[in-house]
Amino acid sequence: AQKITQTQPGMFVQEKEAVTLDCTYDTSDQSYGLFWYKQPSSGEMIFLIYQGSYDEQNATEGRYSLNFQKARKSANLVISASQLGDSAMYFCAMRMKGDKIIFGKGTRLHILP
Amino acid sequence: KAGVTQTPRYLIKTRGQQVTLSCSPISGHRSVSWYQQTPGQGLQFLFEYFSETQRNKGNFPGRFSGRQFSNSRSEMNVSTLELGDSALYLCASSLISGAGGQETQYFGPGTRLLVL
């Protein structure tokens, strides 16, 4: 069955440190897309970064990068130089064949001053 | 360019009532998806509309329905509300549907529904 697993329910990280949020996925599809979203306490889902299954290079967007390891079915999000405003819930998601998107349970990230 | 808008932002209903939520996608976006988010179940896909047609549907009872208008605006309806329907309902839009998985969804702020 297709699913997304985020094994870290919560994380505490010191400001300015780098942080890695784990995400593994399971699918038999060859073509799929992987996303990371940030959800602050306000509730809005903010798109961070996208990685296509056929993309050979890891995606990067500013301080965000996606460590894509296809053989291990892993798509970890790396945030460099964390900031207090990075405190939020982070969701890993996968768009599957047929366009349905499934989400992981999320990781709550707390940045400490 | 304006983002995805959802109305109302907050709603309180009682069991047995029905509710209609509205979503206006980003201008030019033709695909609209709806999600339910609860603390227990997380984010769950409800349905997706593209060009006024439902393309995908999640595992929700028939009390949950939706539609999309010719201007791409979408509505979601829940009839005979139950306590468990209390959730944040998120709408997302994208320019096209699918495209090899390269399309990004942009979410609205959500509608918080409380069923008493």
Side-chain angles (χ1 to χ4, degrees), chain B residues 8-105:
Chain B
R9 292 292 311 277
Y10 304 91
L11 203 51
I12 300 176
K13 291 283 189 179
T14 55
R15 277 183 301 173
Q17 287 187 310
Q18 75 159 17
V19 65
T20 299
L21 311 181
S22 179
C23 171
S24 292
I26 292 171
S27 178
H29 285 197
R30 296 168 64 188
S31 172
V32 174
S33 298
W34 289 90
Y35 298 85
Q36 181 197 64
Q37 186 177 27
T38 59
Q41 299 298 317
L43 268 157
Q44 293 185 284
F45 170 76
L46 278 157
F47 26 65
E48 179 186 15
Y49 287 87
F50 180 74
S51 293
E52 302 178 64
T53 302
Q54 187 180 89
R55 293 190 77 249
N56 284 294
K57 191 176 192 307
N59 297 323
F60 278 82
R63 300 185 297 108
F64 291 82
S65 63
R67 59 178 175 167
Q68 187 180 34
F69 302 95
S70 57
N71 61 357
S72 294
R73 189 177 71 85
S74 177
E75 286 182 348
M76 190 194 100
N77 186 75
V78 188
S79 62
T80 319
L81 284 166
E82 300 177 0
L83 296 179
D85 297 333
S86 294
L88 177 66
Y89 290 88
L90 290 162
C91 164
S93 79
S94 60
L95 188 58
I96 59 175
S97 183
Q102 293 186 29
E103 192 61 28
T104 299
Q105 289 192 331

Side-chain angles (χ1 to χ4, degrees), chain A residues 35 37 39 47 50 91 98-99, chain B residues 37 55-56 98 101-102 105:
Chain A
F35 303 81
Y37 286 90
Q39 187 177 41
F47 165 74
Y50 168 85
F91 290 95
D99 307 326
Chain B
Q37 186 177 27
R55 293 190 77 249
N56 284 294
Q102 293 186 29
Q105 289 192 331

Side-chain angles (χ1 to χ4, degrees), chain A residues 26-69:
Chain A
D26 189 14
T27 181
S28 56
D29 293 341
Q30 294 302 308
S31 177
Y32 51 88
L34 295 157
F35 303 81
W36 277 92
Y37 286 90
K38 171 184 178 181
Q39 187 177 41
S41 54
S42 60
E44 187 165 358
M45 297 284 280
I46 302 169
F47 165 74
L48 295 178
I49 197 165
Y50 168 85
Q51 178 88 40
S53 59
Y54 294 117
D55 295 341
E56 294 186 351
Q57 290 192 321
N58 287 342
T60 59
E61 288 284 350
R63 294 187 299 113
Y64 304 107
S65 60
L66 198 151
N67 184 1
F68 183 45
Q69 297 187 42

Side-chain angles (χ1 to χ4, degrees), chain A residues 8 10-21 79-84 86-87 107-113:
Chain A
Q8 308 149 309
M11 285 185 72
F12 289 84
V13 173
Q14 206 68 39
E15 189 182 9
K16 297 181 185 172
E17 288 185 352
V19 56
T20 298
L21 304 181
I79 306 174
S80 63
S82 58
Q83 302 170 357
L84 295 178
D86 294 333
S87 293
T107 295
R108 183 164 294 283
L109 176 64
H110 302 270
I111 305 298
L112 304 171

